[in-house]
Amino acid sequence: MKKQMFISLFAILLLSLLQSNRCEAAAYAYVANSFDGTVLVIDTATHTVITDPTNPIHVGNNPSSVAVSPTGNYVFVAD
């Protein structure tokens, strides 16, 4: 379980770094955690998880993917 979450988190961080080379860097990356039904928020500048562990973002039973609106104002989670 932890290994899969680490791999997913690493993949998102890698994609955010690659994305930042093509255009202006995104402020945050969002990772759906299907194990506990939450979404993690990562600061792409510092590569740290900024979601409060005592108050996680619950989104449903089995989130599978995350999309951010072009303006960055909205985050959509497929559940």
Side-chain angles (χ1 to χ4, degrees), residues 20-39:
S20 68
N21 289 336
R22 284 188 258 146
C23 62
E24 185 178 317
Y28 304 104
Y30 303 89
V31 180
N33 185 351
S34 61
F35 300 112
D36 65 0
T38 62
V39 170

Side-chain angles (χ1 to χ4, degrees), residues 2-4 6 12 15 17 20 27 29 34-35 41 49-50 54 56 58-59 66 71 77-79:
K2 289 183 181 181
K3 184 178 179 181
Q4 289 174 338
F6 175 77
I12 293 295
L15 288 174
L17 289 173
S20 68
S34 61
F35 300 112
V41 181
V49 176
I50 61 171
T54 62
H58 292 283
V59 294
V66 179
T71 62
V77 181
D79 189 18

Side-chain angles (χ1 to χ4, degrees), residues 8-76:
S8 296
L9 184 60
F10 179 75
I12 293 295
L13 286 174
L14 181 61
L15 288 174
S16 69
L17 289 173
L18 293 174
Q19 179 80 4
S20 68
N21 289 336
R22 284 188 258 146
C23 62
E24 185 178 317
Y28 304 104
Y30 303 89
V31 180
N33 185 351
S34 61
F35 300 112
D36 65 0
T38 62
V39 170
L40 298 174
V41 181
I42 301 166
D43 183 330
T44 59
T46 61
H47 305 283
T48 57
V49 176
I50 61 171
T51 311
D52 181 359
T54 62
N55 189 21
I57 303 170
H58 292 283
V59 294
N61 293 331
N62 193 21
S64 59
S65 59
V66 179
V68 180
S69 69
T71 62
N73 293 333
Y74 299 98
V75 175
F76 303 93

